[in-house]
Structures are given as structure tokens and as C-alpha cells.
Amino acid sequence: MIRQLKQLLRHGLQVQSPRSWDWAQQAMDWGVQLQGLLFAFGPLAGLLLLAALASPLLIGGWLFNFQAPDFGKLNPMQGLGNMLSMRSLMELLKALAKTVLVGCTAWMVISTQLEDMLALSAQAPEAGSAQHARLLLRCLTLMVGALAVIALIDAPYQMWSHAKKLMMTRQEIRDEAKESEGNPEIKAKIRAQQREMARKRMMAQVPTADVVVTNPTHYAVALKYPENATHAPLVVAKGLNEVADKIRAIAQEHGIVVMEAPPLARALYQHAEIDQEIPAPLYTAVAQVLAYVFQLRAYQTHGGIEPVQPEQVSVPASLDPQQARADQGAGA
């Protein structure tokens, strides 16, 4: 760059009287001078452009925005608010730090090289140009080093600040959850409606049951075992408290046998699911109940000896929640 600038200066000082009055020639000379300036500063400008394009890659990469500009940012009141923000204060402090650091660096270079700079006027042009280039390079190197120190401090701060801006507040998290998953209140209403629909479907199956086993007040489980079935009895409905009362009422309305067997009712409610077969350990207890129901149905249809309802239906103690809690309490 220094070599190119010397040639441009030498060429510019070579004034020829006839050429100085020729405006077309002057324009050509100016074009040559401009071209020489571009060649002189081209490498430096290219390095600056490369640094400007590559530096964002160190803190996350390029960001392309194709959205329309926000003209609300031209609001002077909003701009005044931005000037008084913490971010603006930090940028001001960084700018002052850069100015002070670069100024101190330049002052140190000039003060230490002052005699050499004053001696440039007494040197030959070739030697003076070379010395001037060395002084300029030294000054620029030290100032770039000072700015590099600021960059090493500023880059981590910018990354931390950017990550902090990306963090959402609690309200933003709730709003995003509403947008992505739906409003919790609406979802709760939907779930309530789904439970109500499932309860209605379950209640509609109660009239098809063969027997309803009760606690007698807290639990109610409706069982179905069709004739010639190749599978275990099915649980068509079950409920607790108010739902149990509703199951008993529907069963009595449709003439379904309601049988009190508290241990079995608790075990079925705890371990059996709706529309699924009863657990294998409860086969014997349920068989006792169904045998009584079928005998009672035959008696009501054909007459004969009235069957006796089983007084005690045996259920494994591990399947009866009440008995299991009692055993745990005794063991403790």
C-alpha cells in the first residue's frame, strides 16, 4: 500500500503544462489516480470485508431476515426509551472503553516515537517513506491488539447476553404452552366431557350385565358372562360412591341381580378394568356368584328349589385392598 501510494504521489506531482489545460486528459489522469487508490486500499478493504463476514460465525452464524421493516422503531419516544436502557448503557461504556484504550495506545506510540517522527522531515524521501510505513504499521498493530483485548472480553459477554435474551419468562412459557398444547381450561373441559361420555357409555352397558357385585354402599361392579362364552367373565361397569349408587339403581330398574360381596367388589374394582376379563385369581369367587345368579334365574323361570345366596365369597387376601392394608398395618 505504501509503495502504491508513493507512485501515485510521484505521478501526481509531475505536472506538465500542456496536459494541465487538457480537461479530457485531466479526467483520464484522475481515473488513473482513482484506480491506483483502489489497488492500494483494495487488499485492506478485502480483509476488512472478510473480517466483517467471518466474525458473526464466531458467535452463532449469520442471520437473514426477509420480513418487512418495523416502522414503529422510527418512533422517537421508543428510541428515547432504548437510549436509556441497560443495553444502551453497556454499549456506551464499551464505546468509551474502546476510545480510551485506542487513544492511550496511540498516545503511547506517538510519545515513544516522537523523535523519529520529527526526524522524518530531514530524511530522504525513500528512507522517510520506509520509516513512516514502519511507524504507521507499529501504531496500527498496537491499536489492533488493544481492540483485540476488548473483543476477547466483549464476545463472551455478547454470547451471554444473547442467550439471556432467548430465555423466556414464566408468562411467555405459559403462553407458549397454551399455543402449542391448547388452553388448560379448555383441555380440562374437554377431559370432563370425555369422562362424562365414557360414564354414559358405561352406564348403557349395565342393563346387559348378569350381576352387580356391591360393597354394599361404596363399590359396585357389573359382570357379564354370556352363554357358551369361551372367555372369562367381563367387567362392563364399575364405580365408587355416587357412580356405584347409579349402577345399582340402573341394575334394579332392569331386574339385574345385585349381590353383596364386599371383598369381591373391592378386589374387582381395584384389579379389573372395564370391557376386560376378570383377573385369574378371582375366577373361583366370581364362579360362585355366577352360579348363584344362573340358579336364581332358572328358579325364577322354571320354579323348583330356591337357591341360597352364598354368605361368604372367598377372595385372596392380597387382592382385597382393605385386607391388604390391614395386614400391612399389623406387620408394621
Side-chain angles (χ1 to χ4, degrees):
M1 183 176 66
I2 296 298
R3 188 182 306 111
Q4 187 72 20
L5 291 177
K6 282 199 306 181
Q7 293 177 1
L8 290 174
L9 180 61
R10 184 182 297 110
H11 180 74
L13 294 177
Q14 293 176 357
V15 180
Q16 299 179 7
S17 297
R19 294 169 59 92
S20 62
W21 298 102
D22 188 351
W23 297 108
Q25 191 63 43
Q26 286 291 327
M28 291 180 60
D29 291 342
W30 291 341
V32 172
Q33 293 281 12
L34 180 59
Q35 184 178 4
L37 287 174
L38 292 177
F39 286 150
F41 291 97
L44 178 61
L47 289 175
L48 292 176
L49 178 62
L50 180 62
L53 294 176
S55 57
L57 298 177
L58 300 176
I59 54 174
W62 296 329
L63 179 62
F64 299 96
N65 188 0
F66 299 100
Q67 297 180 354
D70 185 8
F71 295 100
K73 294 183 178 180
L74 299 178
N75 187 348
M77 298 304 298
Q78 183 178 356
L80 182 61
N82 294 333
M83 291 176 60
L84 301 178
S85 63
M86 181 60 66
R87 182 176 180 273
S88 300
L89 178 60
M90 294 300 300
E91 293 297 329
L92 176 62
L93 293 177
K94 286 194 299 181
L96 292 176
K98 292 177 184 178
T99 303
V100 172
L101 188 57
V102 172
C104 292
T105 303
W107 178 82
M108 291 175 59
V109 173
I110 294 174
S111 61
T112 55
Q113 305 294 328
L114 185 60
E115 295 183 359
D116 295 336
M117 295 176 64
L118 295 176
L120 291 175
S121 59
Q123 295 181 2
E126 293 291 337
S129 298
Q131 180 66 14
H132 182 268
R134 286 192 294 270
L135 292 175
L136 184 62
L137 181 61
R138 185 180 304 170
C139 181
L140 291 176
T141 302
L142 291 177
M143 286 192 292
V144 169
L147 291 175
V149 173
I150 296 179
L152 291 176
I153 299 174
D154 185 45
Y157 169 76
Q158 292 292 344
M159 296 175 68
W160 172 82
S161 178
H162 179 67
K164 186 177 180 180
K165 290 178 182 178
L166 293 179
M167 295 176 62
M168 297 187 296
T169 62
R170 292 184 177 179
Q171 183 61 39
E172 291 174 339
I173 293 175
R174 287 194 291 266
D175 294 341
E176 184 181 19
K178 288 182 180 180
E179 294 177 359
S180 60
E181 301 179 4
N183 193 317
E185 296 179 358
I186 297 178
K187 291 177 64 178
K189 291 181 180 178
I190 293 175
R191 286 195 294 267
Q193 292 178 355
Q194 291 174 342
R195 288 193 297 267
E196 183 63 24
M197 293 174 62
R199 185 179 297 112
K200 289 181 178 180
R201 288 195 301 267
M202 182 185 70
M203 293 301 180
Q205 295 294 323
V206 174
T208 66
D210 293 309
V211 63
V212 174
V213 183
T214 65
N215 189 35
T217 56
H218 298 298
Y219 296 90
V221 180
L223 301 176
K224 180 179 181 180
Y225 188 64
E227 295 182 3
N228 303 321
T230 58
H231 54 75
L234 300 177
V235 176
V236 295
K238 69 176 184 176
L240 184 67
N241 297 330
E242 295 180 0
V243 178
D245 293 339
K246 184 68 173 178
I247 292 174
R248 286 194 296 270
I250 295 175
Q252 292 172 355
E253 180 181 350
H254 290 81
I256 308 300
V257 178
V258 178
M259 178 176 174
E260 295 183 9
L264 180 58
R266 292 192 295 264
L268 287 171
Y269 182 86
Q270 184 71 22
H271 302 286
E273 299 297 333
I274 297 175
D275 294 331
Q276 294 187 8
E277 299 179 5
I278 63 173
L282 296 177
Y283 281 177
T284 303
V286 173
Q288 289 180 267
V289 173
L290 290 176
Y292 165 74
V293 171
F294 293 150
Q295 292 173 6
L296 180 62
R297 188 178 300 171
Y299 167 74
Q300 293 173 345
T301 304
H302 305 289
I305 301 176
E306 182 178 357
V308 179
Q309 179 177 333
E311 296 181 358
Q312 185 69 26
V313 178
S314 60
V315 174
S318 60
L319 297 183
D320 184 358
Q322 181 174 325
Q323 186 62 38
R325 286 193 297 268
D327 294 342
Q328 290 178 357

